[in-house]
Amino acid sequence: MSFIKGLQALQSGQCSSALFRNSIEDLRTSGQVKSKTTFQKVHTNGVVCMDLDPVEGRYLVSVGHENHVGIYDTFVTQKNDDGSELIPKVSVIGNRQKQQRYLHESICTSVQWFPHDTGMFMTSSFDETIKIWDTNRLKAAETIRVKRKIYDMHMGSSPSKLLIAAGTDPNIRLVDMRTGAATHTLRGHTGPVLSIRWSPEKSHILASGSVDGKVMLWDVRKAGFAVMNFDADTWIKFRRKQGETRTEKHKSVAHKGAVNCVRFTADGRFLLTFGTDSRLRLWNAHTGEIMPVNYGPVCNHPGCYLPIQMTLYDGGYRSSIAFVPSDKRLVMYDLHTGEVIGSLALRASAKVKGCILNSINQDLYVTAMKSNHSISVFSPKTVSSFDEQTKKSRMSAHEQSHAVPSDLDGEDGESTQVERLLTNNWSDSSDDNDWL
């Protein structure tokens, strides 16, 4: 749905306000351009991991190679002399001498806000610990020792189950946040577990990806084994018919390389996996079948044994987008068709490490490996850039067909009215959204 047609449908009652709002959000998300907004530099040698709070979609926490922690308020910006905007830091943990004792002793591998408020967040590290940080006091309130290198960590959104899943070598440790003790050990992988995620649909389901190329699904109520082992060859060679059993032995792997990222869709029905075999694969999380979606080769270096941060935008079956780091670019794919929607490049010649999409204003925050730039920002196209692109495309069509120019280029009064309506659509303030 285009802007003008959407406005006309909304005004005539053919389109609900919710559908129109979702259409605008889809267009904003798929039309990302490099923004003049930058984050204040906190980390001296790039960002290792970051997370945006799920409660307000406002506060971003990042951890650098030096293990310093930076916290930003993405709703606050400052004007620079050159007209650009700066997102200033709210606080930094580690730049003072007395805070040094709270930092991890080895490289930090993951960070996550507490799912239900912004009062605390968690970090994991190769120093075999998980730290629970108090945001108000700016220090570690609890240190949980896992006694294994932690490659990735994730906490589910269920308020009744405060379980932290930690990916180690080669097992998964489940830690009760209330007691700080390990409750379960999930065994099945034969290499370091690089990526781990709880299902947003069922709080007891957990997905993991490992160096051994396996992607497994776990039910934490059934300790000792995985309930599903995803196999990329199943749908081609070993699709079973009714009454048949698989007799031929083969190695059940999801990727022919390490799996360093797994992500559920928002409804928990699908699982997207990324491996160092430079392949993206979409799976049915309920049946374990691989979906017939061809994303093509996606650059993922074979020696990358650290988790990569890709992001999924849930716009429904027809407009869901996967933001995937691919060498020095961030590629946008249609999740269910595999079509390339766009490609974003950083100004610095550095490999993209990860990204996070802000669901409030559809801004995209991107980090790079060992880059001098801290966090890059990509924002939806503004009204002016949209108008410029529309005029260029319509002018080209006019030159080819010698047709009359579109009504967008009509009288000044009509053009001003359209621009005003579009400006309201692009606004992110609650006051401007009241007209919906």
Side-chain angles (χ1 to χ4, degrees), residues 279-293:
R279 292 292 175 182
L280 276 172
R281 291 196 169 99
L282 185 67
W283 309 83
N284 187 319
H286 293 169
T287 64
E289 288 185 301
I290 186 172
M291 304 303 294
V293 182

Side-chain angles (χ1 to χ4, degrees), residues 123-136:
T123 57
S124 64
S125 170
F126 279 172
D127 65 2
E128 304 181 353
T129 65
I130 296 174
K131 290 183 179 289
I132 313 297
W133 298 85
D134 188 327
T135 311
N136 298 316

Side-chain angles (χ1 to χ4, degrees), residues 77-125:
T77 58
Q78 297 176 355
K79 285 286 186 180
N80 294 326
D81 296 335
D82 58 358
S84 62
E85 292 184 341
L86 178 72
I87 300 177
K89 67 179 187 300
V90 175
S91 57
V92 179
I93 302 175
N95 58 348
R96 297 179 181 178
Q97 187 64 33
K98 64 179 181 180
Q99 295 175 334
Q100 294 289 326
R101 59 192 178 101
Y102 297 117
L103 301 180
H104 285 288
E105 297 176 0
S106 185
I107 186 172
C108 185
T109 55
S110 63
V111 60
Q112 183 187 358
W113 284 102
F114 185 66
H116 309 293
D117 66 62
T118 57
M120 56 182 170
F121 60 91
M122 299 155 284
T123 57
S124 64
S125 170

Side-chain angles (χ1 to χ4, degrees), residues 128-155:
E128 304 181 353
T129 65
I130 296 174
K131 290 183 179 289
I132 313 297
W133 298 85
D134 188 327
T135 311
N136 298 316
R137 301 174 65 187
L138 298 179
K139 68 177 185 179
E142 183 73 22
T143 299
I144 302 173
R145 302 195 178 277
V146 182
K147 298 180 180 180
R148 290 278 185 176
K149 278 186 178 181
I150 303 172
Y151 291 84
D152 194 19
M153 165 205 69
H154 191 243
M155 183 178 185

Side-chain angles (χ1 to χ4, degrees), residues 2-297:
S2 66
F3 292 107
I4 304 303
K5 289 183 179 179
L7 286 170
Q8 293 172 349
L10 181 65
Q11 293 171 349
S12 62
Q14 299 176 0
C15 170
S16 65
S17 60
L19 178 60
F20 180 65
R21 186 184 295 110
N22 291 338
S23 300
I24 297 299
E25 185 176 308
D26 294 344
L27 289 170
R28 286 171 61 88
T29 304
S30 60
Q32 299 282 343
V33 295
K34 189 72 175 69
S35 174
K36 292 183 178 179
T37 304
T38 58
F39 280 80
Q40 182 177 355
K41 190 173 180 180
V42 170
H43 309 292
T44 57
N45 199 20
V47 177
V48 178
C49 50
M50 62 179 178
D51 190 36
L52 188 68
D53 84 90
V55 180
E56 302 177 52
R58 176 173 183 173
Y59 297 101
L60 185 138
V61 57
S62 63
V63 183
H65 284 273
E66 74 288 346
N67 288 334
H68 290 186
V69 180
I71 301 176
Y72 302 88
D73 185 349
T74 60
F75 287 5
V76 177
T77 58
Q78 297 176 355
K79 285 286 186 180
N80 294 326
D81 296 335
D82 58 358
S84 62
E85 292 184 341
L86 178 72
I87 300 177
K89 67 179 187 300
V90 175
S91 57
V92 179
I93 302 175
N95 58 348
R96 297 179 181 178
Q97 187 64 33
K98 64 179 181 180
Q99 295 175 334
Q100 294 289 326
R101 59 192 178 101
Y102 297 117
L103 301 180
H104 285 288
E105 297 176 0
S106 185
I107 186 172
C108 185
T109 55
S110 63
V111 60
Q112 183 187 358
W113 284 102
F114 185 66
H116 309 293
D117 66 62
T118 57
M120 56 182 170
F121 60 91
M122 299 155 284
T123 57
S124 64
S125 170
F126 279 172
D127 65 2
E128 304 181 353
T129 65
I130 296 174
K131 290 183 179 289
I132 313 297
W133 298 85
D134 188 327
T135 311
N136 298 316
R137 301 174 65 187
L138 298 179
K139 68 177 185 179
E142 183 73 22
T143 299
I144 302 173
R145 302 195 178 277
V146 182
K147 298 180 180 180
R148 290 278 185 176
K149 278 186 178 181
I150 303 172
Y151 291 84
D152 194 19
M153 165 205 69
H154 191 243
M155 183 178 185
S157 58
S158 174
S160 60
K161 297 181 180 180
L162 300 179
L163 285 179
I164 303 173
T168 65
D169 183 8
N171 304 319
I172 300 171
R173 301 290 181 92
L174 300 182
V175 179
D176 191 332
M177 184 178 175
R178 290 166 292 194
T179 62
T183 60
H184 294 79
T185 299
L186 306 179
R187 296 179 173 88
H189 288 291
T190 57
V193 180
L194 301 182
S195 185
I196 195 165
R197 277 299 178 274
W198 291 96
S199 169
E201 180 188 23
K202 299 176 181 179
S203 60
H204 57 274
I205 296 297
L206 182 71
S208 62
S210 171
V211 170
D212 58 15
K214 294 182 180 180
V215 174
M216 292 184 172
L217 210 64
W218 310 81
D219 187 339
V220 296
R221 301 172 303 179
K222 303 175 182 179
F225 60 91
V227 297
M228 197 176 296
N229 187 358
F230 296 95
D231 186 358
D233 293 332
T234 300
W235 75 291
I236 301 176
K237 301 177 181 177
F238 303 101
R239 182 181 290 275
R240 291 176 288 177
K241 299 179 181 178
Q242 289 184 348
E244 293 183 358
T245 58
R246 186 197 301 191
T247 58
E248 184 176 350
K249 293 183 180 180
H250 75 293
K251 186 179 180 181
S252 299
V253 293
H255 291 269
K256 296 179 180 179
V259 182
N260 51 12
C261 191
V262 297
R263 290 292 184 272
F264 280 101
T265 54
D267 57 7
R269 294 176 55 198
F270 299 98
L271 181 72
L272 185 67
T273 62
F274 192 22
T276 57
D277 56 356
S278 297
R279 292 292 175 182
L280 276 172
R281 291 196 169 99
L282 185 67
W283 309 83
N284 187 319
H286 293 169
T287 64
E289 288 185 301
I290 186 172
M291 304 303 294
V293 182
N294 182 15
Y295 299 96

Side-chain angles (χ1 to χ4, degrees), residues 312-348:
L312 301 183
Y313 164 72
D314 182 30
Y317 187 79
R318 294 186 177 181
S319 56
S320 293
I321 301 173
F323 296 88
V324 183
S326 178
D327 198 28
K328 298 179 182 180
R329 305 185 72 85
L330 185 72
V331 186
M332 299 184 292
Y333 293 93
D334 186 301
L335 182 64
H336 296 286
T337 67
E339 179 186 357
V340 177
I341 299 175
S343 179
L344 307 175
L346 299 179
R347 293 177 182 174

